Amino acid sequence: SAVISQKPSRDICQRGTSLTIQCQVDSQVTMMFWYRQQPGQSLTLIATANQGSEATYESGFVIDKFPISRPNLTFSTLTVSNMSPEDSSIYLCSVLHGGRQYFGPGTRLTVT
Amino acid sequence: GIQVEQSPPDLILQEGANSTLRCNFSDSVNNLQWFHQNPWGQLINLFYIPSGTKQNGRLSATTVATERYSLLYISSSQTTDSGVYFCAVEASNTGKLIFGQGTTLQVKP
């Protein structure tokens, strides 16, 4: 299995500001992903974080709003930019390891 | 794209009861996984089961890929089984998962 940590675990932010979420994995992994879970909803894939190249975004998500970095095979960051209350969600990173997907504990973001 | 439907959306059980959760998907998949999200939000990978049957303690899962459905069985339920159960599928070798809407399970003591 893979052990994943995320920082911060939660935050309350004002609209118009940005927050960067960090994801650290205890082993090198090729595939790393970022998901969003809006209140009471299921998970939606934001993007695939590619090491050494730009992230690949899903429909409805853009780089200007959710810039992602992946400097190495154990670390990634997701920034939520120019936040609005609609961005209040849990943001989770995940990795593919041995065919299975493992998730970090999530970052609970509240935008006021 | 692939559609993933889970049923029932909500389930309330008395401790000790058994239950079956269902996941239907609209197209061929090469990966299906079941997750449990506990009340604190942590997602735990229960099964990687693109086909066949697997068992892990009181939990077991069966996927019939040709008929495009998977079942998760919970036997002798405990209060700690409460939470949301998600089925997720991957259509191609991209690692990208498409999640169902989940089944919210409440086990009462």
Side-chain angles (χ1 to χ4, degrees), chain A residues 18-21 63-69 77-81:
Chain A
S18 297
L19 176 72
T20 296
I21 302 167
I63 187 171
D64 290 346
K65 176 67 176 176
F66 298 101
I68 288 170
S69 78
T77 67
L78 168 75
T79 298
V80 186
S81 303

Side-chain angles (χ1 to χ4, degrees), chain B residues 35-89:
Chain B
F35 296 88
H36 174 221
Q37 188 170 39
N38 64 26
W40 297 271
Q42 177 70 58
L43 271 164
I44 304 298
N45 190 306
L46 298 175
F47 292 103
Y48 164 72
I49 185 164
S51 64
T53 297
K54 290 186 178 179
Q55 180 151 10
N56 184 1
R58 294 181 297 103
L59 303 181
S60 64
T62 295
T63 297
V64 184
T66 53
E67 297 186 22
R68 298 180 186 168
Y69 74 88
S70 183
L71 302 174
L72 178 69
Y73 305 95
I74 305 174
S75 65
S76 303
S77 58
Q78 301 176 358
T79 56
T80 52
D81 294 331
S82 297
V84 184
Y85 290 81
F86 289 105
C87 162
V89 303

Side-chain angles (χ1 to χ4, degrees), chain A residues 39-103:
Chain A
Q41 303 296 312
S42 184
L43 282 78
T44 301
L45 180 64
I46 297 172
T48 303
N50 302 309
Q51 196 267 328
S53 64
E54 274 194 5
T56 306
Y57 290 84
E58 298 302 305
S59 176
F61 298 95
V62 295
I63 187 171
D64 290 346
K65 176 67 176 176
F66 298 101
I68 288 170
S69 78
R70 178 93 192 267
N72 57 52
L73 293 176
T74 64
F75 186 79
S76 178
T77 67
L78 168 75
T79 298
V80 186
S81 303
N82 188 23
M83 289 183 283
S84 67
E86 292 71 34
D87 294 320
S88 297
S89 296
I90 300 174
Y91 293 86
L92 302 103
C93 70
S94 74
V95 302
L96 188 62
H97 184 78
R100 299 174 72 145
Q101 197 140 136
Y102 297 92
F103 283 81

Side-chain angles (χ1 to χ4, degrees), chain B residues 5 14 26 29 32 39 46 48-49 52 80-81 91 96 100 107-108:
Chain B
E5 294 184 358
Q14 208 64 40
S26 61
V29 299
L32 186 144
L46 298 175
Y48 164 72
I49 185 164
T80 52
D81 294 331
K96 300 179 185 180
V107 181
K108 294 187 172 182

